[in-house]
Coordinates of all heavy atoms in Angstrom, one line a residue:
M1 N 43.0 -127.9 22.8 CA 42.8 -127.1 24.0 C 41.8 -127.9 24.9 O 40.8 -128.4 24.5 CB 42.2 -125.7 23.6 CG 41.9 -124.9 24.8 SD 41.1 -123.3 24.3 CE 40.6 -122.7 25.8
I2 N 42.2 -128.0 26.2 CA 41.4 -128.7 27.1 C 40.5 -127.7 28.0 O 41.1 -126.8 28.5 CB 42.2 -129.6 28.1 CG1 43.0 -130.7 27.3 CG2 41.4 -130.2 29.2 CD1 44.1 -131.3 28.0
V3 N 39.2 -128.0 27.9 CA 38.4 -127.1 28.7 C 38.0 -127.9 30.0 O 37.5 -129.0 29.9 CB 37.1 -126.7 27.9 CG1 36.1 -125.9 28.8 CG2 37.5 -126.0 26.7
T4 N 38.2 -127.3 31.1 CA 37.9 -127.9 32.4 C 36.6 -127.2 32.9 O 36.5 -126.0 33.0 CB 39.0 -127.7 33.4 OG1 40.2 -128.2 32.9 CG2 38.6 -128.5 34.7
L5 N 35.6 -128.1 33.1 CA 34.3 -127.5 33.6 C 34.3 -127.6 35.1 O 34.7 -128.7 35.6 CB 33.1 -128.3 33.0 CG 32.9 -128.1 31.5 CD1 31.7 -128.9 31.1 CD2 32.6 -126.6 31.2
H6 N 34.0 -126.6 35.7 CA 33.9 -126.6 37.1 C 32.4 -126.7 37.6 O 31.6 -125.9 37.2 CB 34.5 -125.3 37.7 CG 34.2 -125.1 39.2 ND1 34.9 -125.8 40.1 CD2 33.4 -124.4 39.8 CE1 34.5 -125.5 41.3 NE2 33.6 -124.6 41.2
Y7 N 32.1 -127.7 38.3 CA 30.7 -127.9 38.8 C 30.6 -127.4 40.3 O 31.3 -128.0 41.1 CB 30.2 -129.3 38.7 CG 30.0 -129.7 37.2 CD1 30.9 -130.5 36.5 CD2 28.9 -129.2 36.6 CE1 30.7 -130.8 35.2 CE2 28.7 -129.5 35.2 CZ 29.6 -130.3 34.6 OH 29.3 -130.6 33.3
D8 N 29.9 -126.4 40.4 CA 29.6 -125.9 41.8 C 28.7 -126.8 42.5 O 27.6 -127.2 42.0 CB 29.1 -124.5 41.7 CG 29.3 -123.7 43.0 OD1 29.0 -124.3 44.0 OD2 29.7 -122.6 42.9
P9 N 29.0 -127.3 43.7 CA 28.1 -128.2 44.4 C 26.8 -127.6 44.9 O 25.9 -128.2 45.3 CB 28.9 -128.8 45.6 CG 29.9 -127.7 45.8 CD 30.2 -127.1 44.5
I10 N 26.8 -126.2 44.9 CA 25.6 -125.5 45.4 C 24.5 -125.5 44.3 O 24.7 -125.1 43.2 CB 26.0 -124.1 45.8 CG1 27.0 -124.1 46.9 CG2 24.7 -123.3 46.1 CD1 27.6 -122.8 47.2
V11 N 23.4 -126.1 44.7 CA 22.2 -126.2 43.8 C 21.4 -124.9 43.9 O 21.1 -124.4 45.0 CB 21.3 -127.3 44.2 CG1 20.1 -127.4 43.3 CG2 22.1 -128.6 44.2
T12 N 21.2 -124.2 42.8 CA 20.5 -122.9 42.9 C 19.2 -122.9 42.2 O 18.4 -122.0 42.4 CB 21.4 -121.8 42.4 OG1 21.9 -122.1 41.1 CG2 22.5 -121.5 43.3
D13 N 19.0 -123.7 41.2 CA 17.8 -123.5 40.4 C 17.0 -124.8 40.0 O 16.5 -124.9 39.0 CB 18.2 -122.8 39.1 CG 19.2 -123.5 38.3 OD1 19.6 -124.6 38.7 OD2 19.6 -123.0 37.2
D14 N 17.0 -125.7 41.0 CA 16.1 -126.8 40.7 C 14.7 -126.5 41.3 O 14.5 -125.7 42.1 CB 16.7 -128.2 41.0 CG 16.7 -128.4 42.5 OD1 15.6 -128.4 43.1 OD2 17.8 -128.6 43.1
P15 N 13.7 -127.2 40.7 CA 12.3 -127.0 41.2 C 12.1 -127.3 42.7 O 11.2 -126.6 43.3 CB 11.4 -127.9 40.3 CG 12.3 -128.7 39.5 CD 13.7 -128.2 39.7
K16 N 12.8 -128.2 43.2 CA 12.7 -128.6 44.6 C 13.0 -127.4 45.5 O 12.4 -127.1 46.5 CB 13.7 -129.7 45.0 CG 13.0 -131.0 45.4 CD 14.0 -132.1 45.3 CE 14.5 -132.7 46.5 NZ 15.5 -133.7 46.3
L17 N 14.1 -126.7 45.0 CA 14.5 -125.5 45.7 C 13.5 -124.4 45.7 O 13.3 -123.7 46.7 CB 15.9 -125.0 45.1 CG 16.7 -124.2 46.1 CD1 17.3 -125.0 47.2 CD2 17.8 -123.5 45.3
A18 N 12.9 -124.3 44.5 CA 11.8 -123.2 44.4 C 10.7 -123.5 45.3 O 10.2 -122.6 46.0 CB 11.4 -123.2 42.9
S19 N 10.3 -124.8 45.5 CA 9.1 -125.0 46.4 C 9.6 -124.9 47.8 O 8.8 -124.5 48.7 CB 8.5 -126.4 46.1 OG 9.3 -127.4 46.6
M20 N 10.8 -125.2 48.1 CA 11.4 -125.1 49.4 C 11.4 -123.6 49.8 O 11.1 -123.2 50.9 CB 12.8 -125.6 49.4 CG 13.3 -126.2 50.7 SD 14.9 -126.9 50.4 CE 15.3 -127.2 52.1
R21 N 11.7 -122.7 48.9 CA 11.8 -121.3 49.1 C 10.4 -120.8 49.5 O 10.3 -120.0 50.5 CB 12.3 -120.6 47.9 CG 12.5 -119.1 48.1 CD 13.0 -118.4 46.8 NE 14.2 -118.8 46.3 CZ 14.4 -119.4 45.1 NH1 13.4 -119.5 44.3 NH2 15.6 -119.8 44.7
L22 N 9.4 -121.3 48.8 CA 8.0 -120.9 49.1 C 7.6 -121.4 50.5 O 7.0 -120.6 51.3 CB 7.0 -121.5 48.1 CG 7.0 -120.8 46.7 CD1 6.1 -121.6 45.8 CD2 6.6 -119.4 46.8
R23 N 8.0 -122.6 50.8 CA 7.6 -123.1 52.1 C 8.3 -122.4 53.3 O 7.7 -122.1 54.3 CB 7.9 -124.6 52.2 CG 6.9 -125.4 51.4 CD 7.3 -126.9 51.4 NE 6.7 -127.6 52.5 CZ 6.6 -129.0 52.4 NH1 7.0 -129.6 51.4 NH2 6.1 -129.6 53.4
I24 N 9.6 -122.2 53.1 CA 10.3 -121.5 54.2 C 9.8 -120.0 54.3 O 9.7 -119.5 55.4 CB 11.8 -121.6 53.9 CG1 12.3 -123.0 54.0 CG2 12.6 -120.7 54.9 CD1 13.7 -123.3 53.7
N25 N 9.5 -119.4 53.2 CA 8.9 -118.1 53.2 C 7.6 -118.1 54.0 O 7.4 -117.2 54.8 CB 8.7 -117.6 51.8 CG 8.9 -116.1 51.7 OD1 9.9 -115.5 52.1 ND2 8.0 -115.4 51.0
A26 N 6.8 -119.1 53.8 CA 5.5 -119.2 54.5 C 5.8 -119.4 56.0 O 5.1 -118.8 56.9 CB 4.7 -120.3 54.0
M27 N 6.8 -120.2 56.3 CA 7.2 -120.4 57.8 C 7.6 -119.1 58.4 O 7.2 -118.8 59.5 CB 8.4 -121.4 57.9 CG 8.0 -122.8 57.5 SD 9.6 -123.8 57.5 CE 9.1 -125.1 56.4
A28 N 8.4 -118.3 57.7 CA 8.8 -117.0 58.2 C 7.6 -116.1 58.4 O 7.5 -115.4 59.4 CB 9.8 -116.3 57.2
Q29 N 6.6 -116.2 57.5 CA 5.4 -115.3 57.7 C 4.5 -115.8 58.8 O 3.7 -115.0 59.2 CB 4.8 -115.2 56.3 CG 5.5 -114.2 55.5 CD 5.2 -114.1 54.0 OE1 4.3 -114.9 53.6 NE2 5.9 -113.3 53.2
Q30 N 4.7 -117.0 59.2 CA 3.9 -117.5 60.4 C 4.5 -116.8 61.6 O 3.7 -116.5 62.6 CB 4.0 -119.0 60.6 CG 3.1 -119.8 59.7 CD 3.4 -121.2 59.7 OE1 4.2 -121.7 60.5 NE2 2.7 -122.0 58.9
I31 N 5.7 -116.5 61.6 CA 6.4 -115.8 62.7 C 5.9 -114.3 62.7 O 5.5 -113.7 63.7 CB 7.9 -115.9 62.7 CG1 8.3 -117.4 62.8 CG2 8.6 -115.1 63.8 CD1 9.7 -117.7 62.6
D32 N 6.1 -113.7 61.6 CA 5.6 -112.3 61.4 C 5.3 -112.1 59.9 O 6.2 -112.5 59.1 CB 6.7 -111.3 61.9 CG 6.2 -109.9 61.9 OD1 6.0 -109.3 60.8 OD2 5.9 -109.3 63.0
S33 N 4.2 -111.5 59.6 CA 3.7 -111.4 58.2 C 4.7 -110.6 57.4 O 4.6 -110.6 56.1 CB 2.3 -110.9 58.1 OG 2.3 -109.6 58.7
R34 N 5.5 -109.8 58.0 CA 6.4 -108.9 57.2 C 7.7 -109.6 56.8 O 8.5 -109.1 56.1 CB 6.7 -107.6 58.0 CG 5.5 -106.7 58.2 CD 5.9 -105.7 59.2 NE 6.2 -106.3 60.5 CZ 6.8 -105.6 61.6 NH1 7.0 -104.3 61.5 NH2 7.0 -106.3 62.7
L35 N 7.9 -110.8 57.4 CA 9.2 -111.5 57.2 C 9.2 -112.1 55.8 O 8.2 -112.6 55.3 CB 9.4 -112.6 58.2 CG 9.6 -112.1 59.7 CD1 9.8 -113.3 60.6 CD2 10.8 -111.1 59.8
S36 N 10.4 -112.1 55.2 CA 10.6 -112.8 53.9 C 12.0 -113.3 53.9 O 12.9 -112.7 54.6 CB 10.3 -111.9 52.8 OG 11.2 -110.9 52.7
I37 N 12.3 -114.3 53.1 CA 13.6 -114.9 53.0 C 14.1 -114.7 51.5 O 13.3 -114.5 50.6 CB 13.6 -116.3 53.4 CG1 12.8 -117.2 52.4 CG2 13.1 -116.5 54.8 CD1 13.5 -118.5 52.1
H38 N 15.4 -114.8 51.4 CA 16.0 -114.7 50.0 C 17.3 -115.4 50.0 O 17.8 -115.8 51.1 CB 16.1 -113.3 49.5 CG 16.9 -112.4 50.5 ND1 16.4 -111.7 51.5 CD2 18.2 -112.2 50.5 CE1 17.3 -111.0 52.1 NE2 18.5 -111.3 51.5
D39 N 17.9 -115.5 48.8 CA 19.2 -116.2 48.7 C 19.3 -117.6 49.2 O 20.3 -118.0 49.8 CB 20.3 -115.3 49.4 CG 20.7 -114.1 48.6 OD1 20.1 -113.9 47.5 OD2 21.5 -113.3 49.1
L40 N 18.2 -118.3 49.1 CA 18.2 -119.7 49.6 C 19.1 -120.6 48.7 O 19.0 -120.6 47.5 CB 16.7 -120.3 49.5 CG 16.5 -121.7 49.9 CD1 16.8 -121.9 51.4 CD2 15.2 -122.2 49.5
R41 N 19.9 -121.4 49.4 CA 20.6 -122.4 48.7 C 20.8 -123.6 49.6 O 20.8 -123.5 50.8 CB 22.0 -121.9 48.1 CG 22.9 -121.3 49.1 CD 23.4 -119.9 48.5 NE 24.3 -119.3 49.5 CZ 24.0 -118.4 50.4 NH1 22.8 -117.9 50.4 NH2 24.9 -117.9 51.2
C42 N 21.1 -124.8 49.0 CA 21.2 -126.0 49.7 C 22.6 -126.6 49.4 O 23.0 -126.7 48.3 CB 20.2 -127.1 49.3 SG 18.6 -126.7 49.9
V43 N 23.3 -127.0 50.5 CA 24.6 -127.6 50.3 C 24.5 -129.0 51.0 O 24.6 -129.1 52.2 CB 25.7 -126.8 51.0 CG1 27.1 -127.4 50.7 CG2 25.7 -125.3 50.4
P44 N 24.4 -130.0 50.1 CA 24.2 -131.4 50.7 C 25.6 -131.9 51.2 O 26.6 -131.7 50.6 CB 23.8 -132.3 49.4 CG 23.5 -131.3 48.3 CD 24.3 -130.0 48.7
G45 N 25.5 -132.6 52.3 CA 26.7 -133.2 52.9 C 26.4 -134.7 53.2 O 25.3 -135.1 53.0
P46 N 27.4 -135.4 53.7 CA 27.2 -136.9 54.0 C 26.1 -137.2 55.0 O 25.4 -138.2 54.9 CB 28.5 -137.3 54.4 CG 29.3 -136.1 54.8 CD 28.7 -135.0 54.0
T47 N 25.9 -136.3 56.0 CA 25.0 -136.6 57.1 C 23.7 -135.7 57.0 O 22.7 -136.0 57.6 CB 25.6 -136.5 58.5 OG1 26.1 -135.2 58.6 CG2 26.7 -137.6 58.6
H48 N 23.9 -134.5 56.5 CA 22.8 -133.6 56.5 C 23.0 -132.6 55.4 O 24.1 -132.5 54.8 CB 22.6 -132.9 57.8 CG 23.8 -132.1 58.2 ND1 24.8 -132.5 59.0 CD2 24.1 -130.8 57.9 CE1 25.8 -131.6 59.1 NE2 25.4 -130.5 58.4
T49 N 21.9 -131.8 55.1 CA 22.0 -130.8 54.1 C 22.0 -129.4 54.8 O 21.1 -129.2 55.6 CB 20.8 -130.9 53.1 OG1 21.0 -132.1 52.4 CG2 20.8 -129.7 52.1
N50 N 22.9 -128.6 54.5 CA 22.9 -127.2 55.0 C 21.9 -126.4 54.2 O 22.0 -126.4 52.9 CB 24.2 -126.5 55.0 CG 25.2 -127.0 56.1 OD1 24.7 -127.3 57.2 ND2 26.4 -127.1 55.8
V51 N 20.9 -125.8 54.8 CA 19.9 -125.0 54.1 C 20.3 -123.6 54.5 O 20.1 -123.2 55.7 CB 18.5 -125.4 54.6 CG1 17.5 -124.4 53.9 CG2 18.2 -126.8 54.2
I52 N 20.8 -122.8 53.6 CA 21.3 -121.5 53.8 C 20.4 -120.4 53.2 O 20.1 -120.5 52.1 CB 22.7 -121.4 53.2 CG1 23.6 -122.5 53.8 CG2 23.4 -120.0 53.6 CD1 24.9 -122.8 52.9
F53 N 20.1 -119.4 54.0 CA 19.3 -118.3 53.5 C 19.4 -117.1 54.4 O 19.9 -117.2 55.5 CB 17.8 -118.7 53.3 CG 17.1 -119.2 54.5 CD1 16.4 -118.3 55.3 CD2 17.1 -120.5 54.9 CE1 15.7 -118.7 56.4 CE2 16.5 -121.0 56.0 CZ 15.7 -120.1 56.8
D54 N 18.9 -116.0 53.8 CA 18.9 -114.7 54.5 C 17.4 -114.4 54.9 O 16.5 -114.8 54.1 CB 19.3 -113.5 53.6 CG 20.8 -113.5 53.4 OD1 21.5 -114.5 53.8 OD2 21.3 -112.5 52.8
C55 N 17.2 -113.8 56.0 CA 15.9 -113.4 56.4 C 15.9 -111.9 56.7 O 16.8 -111.5 57.5 CB 15.3 -114.2 57.5 SG 13.7 -113.7 58.1
V56 N 15.1 -111.1 56.2 CA 15.1 -109.7 56.5 C 14.2 -109.4 57.8 O 13.1 -109.8 57.8 CB 14.5 -108.8 55.3 CG1 14.4 -107.3 55.7 CG2 15.3 -109.0 54.1
R57 N 14.8 -108.8 58.8 CA 14.2 -108.5 60.0 C 13.7 -107.1 60.1 O 14.6 -106.2 60.1 CB 15.1 -108.8 61.2 CG 14.6 -108.5 62.5 CD 15.6 -108.8 63.6 NE 15.2 -108.3 64.9 CZ 15.3 -107.1 65.3 NH1 15.9 -106.2 64.6 NH2 14.9 -106.7 66.5
P58 N 12.4 -106.8 60.1 CA 12.0 -105.4 60.3 C 12.6 -104.8 61.6 O 12.6 -105.5 62.6 CB 10.5 -105.5 60.4 CG 10.1 -106.9 59.9 CD 11.3 -107.7 60.1
S59 N 13.0 -103.6 61.6 CA 13.7 -103.0 62.7 C 12.9 -102.9 64.0 O 13.4 -102.9 65.1 CB 14.3 -101.6 62.4 OG 13.3 -100.9 61.8
D60 N 11.5 -102.9 63.8 CA 10.7 -102.9 65.0 C 10.1 -104.2 65.4 O 9.2 -104.3 66.2 CB 9.5 -101.9 64.8 CG 8.6 -102.3 63.6 OD1 9.1 -103.1 62.8 OD2 7.5 -101.7 63.5
L61 N 10.7 -105.3 64.9 CA 10.2 -106.6 65.2 C 10.4 -106.9 66.7 O 11.5 -106.6 67.3 CB 10.9 -107.7 64.4 CG 10.4 -109.1 64.6 CD1 9.0 -109.3 63.8 CD2 11.4 -110.1 64.0
Q62 N 9.4 -107.4 67.4 CA 9.5 -107.7 68.9 C 10.4 -108.9 69.2 O 10.2 -109.5 70.2 CB 8.1 -108.0 69.4 CG 7.1 -106.8 69.3 CD 7.6 -105.6 70.1 OE1 8.0 -105.8 71.3 NE2 7.6 -104.4 69.6
M63 N 11.3 -109.2 68.4 CA 12.1 -110.5 68.5 C 13.5 -110.1 68.2 O 13.7 -109.4 67.2 CB 11.5 -111.5 67.5 CG 11.5 -112.9 68.0 SD 10.7 -113.9 66.6 CE 10.5 -115.4 67.5
S64 N 14.4 -110.6 69.0 CA 15.8 -110.3 68.6 C 16.2 -111.1 67.4 O 15.6 -112.1 67.1 CB 16.7 -110.6 69.8 OG 16.8 -112.0 70.0
A65 N 17.3 -110.7 66.8 CA 17.8 -111.5 65.6 C 18.1 -112.9 66.0 O 17.8 -113.8 65.3 CB 19.1 -110.8 65.1
E66 N 18.7 -113.1 67.2 CA 19.0 -114.5 67.7 C 17.7 -115.3 67.9 O 17.7 -116.5 67.5 CB 19.7 -114.4 69.0 CG 21.3 -114.3 68.8 CD 21.9 -115.3 67.9 OE1 21.7 -116.5 68.1 OE2 22.4 -114.9 66.8
D67 N 16.7 -114.7 68.5 CA 15.4 -115.4 68.7 C 14.8 -115.8 67.4 O 14.2 -116.9 67.2 CB 14.4 -114.6 69.5 CG 14.9 -114.5 71.0 OD1 15.8 -115.3 71.4 OD2 14.3 -113.6 71.7
L68 N 14.8 -114.9 66.4 CA 14.3 -115.1 65.1 C 15.0 -116.2 64.4 O 14.3 -117.1 63.8 CB 14.4 -113.8 64.3 CG 13.9 -113.8 62.9 CD1 12.4 -114.3 62.8 CD2 14.0 -112.5 62.2
K69 N 16.3 -116.2 64.5 CA 17.1 -117.3 63.9 C 16.6 -118.7 64.5 O 16.4 -119.6 63.7 CB 18.6 -117.1 64.3 CG 19.4 -116.6 63.2 CD 20.9 -116.8 63.6 CE 21.7 -115.7 63.0 NZ 23.1 -115.8 63.3
H70 N 16.5 -118.7 65.8 CA 16.1 -120.0 66.4 C 14.7 -120.4 66.0 O 14.5 -121.6 65.7 CB 16.2 -119.8 68.0 CG 17.6 -120.0 68.5 ND1 18.2 -119.0 69.2 CD2 18.4 -121.1 68.4 CE1 19.4 -119.5 69.5 NE2 19.6 -120.7 69.1
A71 N 13.8 -119.5 66.0 CA 12.4 -119.8 65.7 C 12.3 -120.4 64.3 O 11.7 -121.4 64.0 CB 11.5 -118.6 65.9
L72 N 13.0 -119.7 63.4 CA 13.0 -120.1 62.0 C 13.7 -121.5 61.8 O 13.2 -122.4 61.1 CB 13.7 -119.1 61.1 CG 12.8 -118.3 60.2 CD1 13.7 -117.3 59.4 CD2 12.0 -119.1 59.2
A73 N 14.9 -121.6 62.4 CA 15.7 -122.8 62.2 C 14.9 -124.0 62.7 O 14.9 -125.1 62.1 CB 17.0 -122.7 63.0
Q74 N 14.2 -123.9 63.9 CA 13.4 -124.9 64.4 C 12.3 -125.4 63.4 O 12.1 -126.6 63.2 CB 12.6 -124.4 65.6 CG 13.1 -125.1 66.9 CD 12.4 -124.5 68.1 OE1 11.4 -123.9 68.0 NE2 13.0 -124.6 69.3
R75 N 11.6 -124.4 62.8 CA 10.6 -124.8 61.8 C 11.2 -125.5 60.6 O 10.7 -126.5 60.1 CB 9.9 -123.5 61.3 CG 8.9 -123.0 62.4 CD 8.4 -121.6 62.0 NE 7.2 -121.2 62.7 CZ 7.2 -120.7 63.9 NH1 8.3 -120.7 64.6 NH2 6.1 -120.4 64.5
V76 N 12.3 -124.9 60.1 CA 12.9 -125.5 58.9 C 13.4 -126.9 59.2 O 13.2 -127.9 58.4 CB 14.1 -124.7 58.4 CG1 14.9 -125.3 57.3 CG2 13.6 -123.3 57.9
E77 N 14.0 -127.1 60.4 CA 14.6 -128.4 60.7 C 13.6 -129.5 61.0 O 13.8 -130.7 60.8 CB 15.7 -128.3 61.8 CG 16.9 -127.5 61.2 CD 17.8 -127.0 62.3 OE1 17.7 -127.4 63.5 OE2 18.7 -126.2 62.0
S78 N 12.4 -129.1 61.5 CA 11.4 -130.1 61.7 C 10.6 -130.4 60.4 O 10.2 -131.5 60.2 CB 10.4 -129.7 62.8 OG 9.7 -128.5 62.4
E79 N 10.6 -129.5 59.5 CA 10.0 -129.7 58.2 C 10.9 -130.6 57.3 O 10.4 -131.4 56.6 CB 9.7 -128.4 57.5 CG 9.1 -128.5 56.1 CD 7.5 -128.7 56.2 OE1 6.9 -128.3 57.2 OE2 7.0 -129.1 55.2
Y80 N 12.2 -130.3 57.4 CA 13.1 -131.0 56.6 C 14.1 -131.7 57.5 O 15.1 -131.1 57.9 CB 13.9 -130.1 55.6 CG 13.0 -129.3 54.7 CD1 12.6 -128.0 55.0 CD2 12.5 -129.9 53.6 CE1 11.7 -127.3 54.1 CE2 11.6 -129.2 52.7 CZ 11.3 -127.9 53.0 OH 10.4 -127.2 52.1
P81 N 13.8 -133.0 57.9 CA 14.5 -133.6 59.1 C 16.0 -133.7 58.9 O 16.7 -133.7 59.9 CB 13.9 -135.0 59.1 CG 12.6 -134.9 58.4 CD 12.7 -133.8 57.4
K82 N 16.6 -133.8 57.7 CA 18.0 -134.0 57.6 C 18.7 -132.6 57.3 O 19.8 -132.6 56.8 CB 18.4 -135.0 56.6 CG 18.2 -136.4 57.2 CD 18.8 -137.5 56.4 CE 18.7 -138.8 57.1 NZ 18.7 -140.0 56.2
S83 N 18.0 -131.6 57.6 CA 18.6 -130.3 57.3 C 19.1 -129.5 58.5 O 18.7 -129.8 59.6 CB 17.6 -129.4 56.5 OG 16.6 -129.0 57.5
V84 N 20.1 -128.7 58.3 CA 20.6 -127.8 59.3 C 20.4 -126.4 58.7 O 21.0 -126.1 57.6 CB 22.0 -128.1 59.7 CG1 22.5 -127.0 60.6 CG2 22.1 -129.4 60.3
A85 N 19.6 -125.5 59.4 CA 19.4 -124.2 58.8 C 20.5 -123.3 59.2 O 21.0 -123.2 60.4 CB 18.1 -123.7 59.4
K86 N 21.1 -122.6 58.2 CA 22.1 -121.6 58.4 C 21.5 -120.2 58.0 O 21.5 -120.0 56.8 CB 23.4 -121.9 57.6 CG 23.9 -123.3 57.8 CD 24.9 -123.3 58.9 CE 25.5 -124.7 59.1 NZ 26.2 -124.9 60.3
I87 N 21.1 -119.5 58.9 CA 20.3 -118.3 58.6 C 21.1 -117.0 58.9 O 21.8 -116.9 59.9 CB 19.0 -118.3 59.4 CG1 18.3 -119.6 59.2 CG2 18.2 -117.0 59.0 CD1 17.2 -119.8 60.3
T88 N 21.1 -116.1 57.9 CA 21.7 -114.8 58.1 C 20.5 -113.8 58.3 O 19.6 -113.8 57.5 CB 22.5 -114.4 56.9 OG1 23.6 -115.3 56.8 CG2 23.1 -113.0 57.1
I89 N 20.5 -113.1 59.4 CA 19.5 -112.1 59.6 C 19.9 -110.8 59.0 O 21.0 -110.2 59.4 CB 19.1 -111.9 61.1 CG1 18.7 -113.2 61.7 CG2 18.0 -110.8 61.2 CD1 17.4 -113.8 61.1
D90 N 19.2 -110.3 58.0 CA 19.5 -108.9 57.4 C 18.6 -107.9 58.2 O 17.4 -108.0 58.3 CB 19.0 -108.9 56.0 CG 19.9 -109.6 55.0 OD1 21.1 -109.9 55.4 OD2 19.5 -110.0 53.9
E91 N 19.3 -107.0 58.8 CA 18.5 -105.9 59.4 C 17.9 -105.1 58.3 O 18.6 -104.9 57.2 CB 19.4 -105.1 60.3 CG 20.0 -105.9 61.5 CD 19.0 -106.4 62.5 OE1 17.9 -105.9 62.6 OE2 19.3 -107.4 63.2
D92 N 16.7 -104.6 58.5 CA 16.0 -104.0 57.4 C 16.4 -102.5 57.2 O 15.7 -101.6 57.6 CB 14.5 -104.1 57.7 CG 13.6 -103.5 56.6 OD1 14.1 -103.3 55.5 OD2 12.5 -103.2 56.9
Y93 N 17.6 -102.3 56.8 CA 18.1 -101.0 56.6 C 18.1 -100.6 55.1 O 18.1 -101.5 54.2 CB 19.5 -100.8 57.2 CG 20.5 -101.7 56.6 CD1 21.2 -101.4 55.5 CD2 20.8 -103.0 57.2 CE1 22.2 -102.3 54.9 CE2 21.7 -103.8 56.7 CZ 22.4 -103.5 55.5 OH 23.3 -104.3 55.0
V94 N 18.0 -99.3 54.9 CA 18.0 -98.9 53.5 C 19.3 -99.1 52.9 O 20.4 -98.9 53.5 CB 17.6 -97.4 53.5 CG1 17.6 -96.8 52.0 CG2 16.3 -97.1 54.1
G95 N 19.3 -99.6 51.7 CA 20.6 -99.8 51.0 C 21.0 -101.2 50.9 O 22.0 -101.6 50.2
H96 N 20.2 -102.1 51.5 CA 20.5 -103.5 51.4 C 20.0 -104.0 50.1 O 18.8 -104.0 49.8 CB 19.9 -104.3 52.5 CG 20.1 -105.8 52.5 ND1 21.3 -106.3 52.8 CD2 19.4 -106.8 52.1 CE1 21.3 -107.6 52.6 NE2 20.1 -108.0 52.2
T97 N 20.8 -104.4 49.2 CA 20.4 -104.8 47.8 C 20.5 -106.3 47.6 O 21.5 -106.9 47.8 CB 21.1 -104.0 46.7 OG1 22.5 -104.2 47.0 CG2 20.8 -102.6 46.7
H98 N 19.4 -106.8 47.2 CA 19.3 -108.2 46.8 C 18.2 -108.3 45.7 O 17.4 -107.4 45.6 CB 18.8 -109.1 48.0 CG 20.0 -109.5 48.8 ND1 20.9 -110.4 48.4 CD2 20.3 -109.3 50.1 CE1 21.8 -110.6 49.3 NE2 21.4 -110.0 50.4
E99 N 18.2 -109.4 45.0 CA 17.2 -109.6 44.0 C 15.9 -109.6 44.7 O 15.7 -110.1 45.7 CB 17.5 -111.0 43.3 CG 17.4 -112.1 44.4 CD 17.6 -113.5 43.8 OE1 18.7 -113.7 43.3 OE2 16.7 -114.3 43.9
Ligands
ZN1 ZN1 20.4 -110.6 52.4

């Protein structure tokens, strides 16, 4: 019997990613102390790495989801020069379940 192992290119649990999560979380909190990120993952490509994560936006934040995305992406991309931030803004509604 031949077992085929499938390797997912998405890195989810190396220590670099853990420290990145902390740094990006700190960047989010510079924008607003209530902000936090989750579901961070990195997808390396030939020219750049996609840095993908969700950010929860409090409903009364004085910043639109688009502005928040831009502000965070700018910080992430200047901290990690070869990265492109792909951010999903989660509106802070009841029932959104994540780890
Ligand atoms: Zn989410």
Side-chain angles (χ1 to χ4, degrees):
M1 183 184 168
I2 296 162
V3 177
T4 307
L5 291 176
H6 172 76
Y7 289 104
D8 201 314
I10 296 170
V11 178
T12 53
D13 59 3
D14 72 62
K16 242 160 115 188
L17 200 71
S19 77
M20 213 174 168
R21 186 184 296 120
L22 284 176
R23 284 172 92 160
I24 296 176
N25 212 47
M27 290 174 204
Q29 283 167 0
Q30 279 169 8
I31 298 170
D32 188 288
S33 60
R34 294 167 299 169
L35 296 177
S36 68
I37 67 142
H38 58 269
D39 287 356
L40 177 70
R41 55 227 184 262
C42 287
V43 183
T47 58
H48 63 266
T49 296
N50 285 326
V51 176
I52 305 162
F53 59 91
D54 288 8
C55 178
V56 177
R57 175 183 174 275
S59 50
D60 60 344
L61 189 74
Q62 295 296 314
M63 215 179 192
S64 71
E66 273 310 300
D67 288 347
L68 177 55
K69 257 192 212 181
H70 278 120
L72 251 182
Q74 248 176 22
R75 283 170 164 78
V76 172
E77 288 165 13
S78 66
E79 179 83 19
Y80 303 100
K82 283 191 172 154
S83 71
V84 173
K86 306 273 184 195
I87 306 165
T88 301
I89 302 297
D90 285 339
E91 298 296 337
D92 183 19
Y93 57 89
V94 179
H96 180 75
T97 52
H98 271 297
E99 58 178 63

